[in-house]
Amino acid sequence: MPFIKGEDRNQIHLLPNTLDDFVEEESPVRVIDAYVDSLALEELGFQVYSGAKVGQKPYRREDLLKLYLYCYMNGIRSSRKMETEHEHI
């Protein structure tokens, strides 16, 4: 696959919990996740990376859109603050 892949949130790790277990049921992150997953991104003009170009693989466009929406909802405008936000989630 031509994308950088993160951890599968349903994968059971050393502990008997999955990453999904650490997110509260009422968290806005779940709404953002479900909303972006319901969109037809190609119809909205998002381009699909073919993997033919040389260089670092890009992140999945769905993941980046989820990140941007989360940061916008929380007033995070700086890319440096976006980078450190994962520590607070």
Side-chain angles (χ1 to χ4, degrees):
M1 178 168 217
F3 298 104
I4 295 174
K5 292 185 72 173
E7 294 288 330
D8 178 10
R9 75 176 85 140
N10 296 316
Q11 174 67 41
I12 296 177
H13 296 281
L14 181 61
L15 302 174
N17 297 331
T18 64
L19 292 175
D20 202 37
D21 293 338
F22 293 104
V23 178
E24 296 176 9
E25 289 295 324
E26 299 299 321
S27 175
V29 173
R30 293 191 183 275
V31 175
I32 294 170
D33 185 51
Y35 174 69
V36 172
D37 288 344
S38 72
L39 296 175
L41 295 179
E42 292 171 9
E43 292 177 15
L44 295 173
F46 284 78
Q47 295 181 355
V48 177
Y49 176 71
S50 67
K53 293 184 179 180
V54 179
Q56 182 178 0
K57 299 176 187 177
Y59 290 95
R60 292 178 55 230
R61 57 196 173 157
E62 296 90 349
D63 295 339
L64 291 175
L65 181 57
K66 291 173 187 179
L67 174 67
Y68 292 144
L69 289 174
Y70 173 82
C71 290
Y72 183 80
M73 286 177 59
N74 290 288
I76 301 167
R77 305 287 189 262
S78 164
S79 60
R80 290 182 186 215
K81 288 183 181 178
M82 282 183 187
E83 181 182 2
T84 59
E85 184 61 22
H86 77 279
E87 298 170 7
H88 304 288
I89 297 177

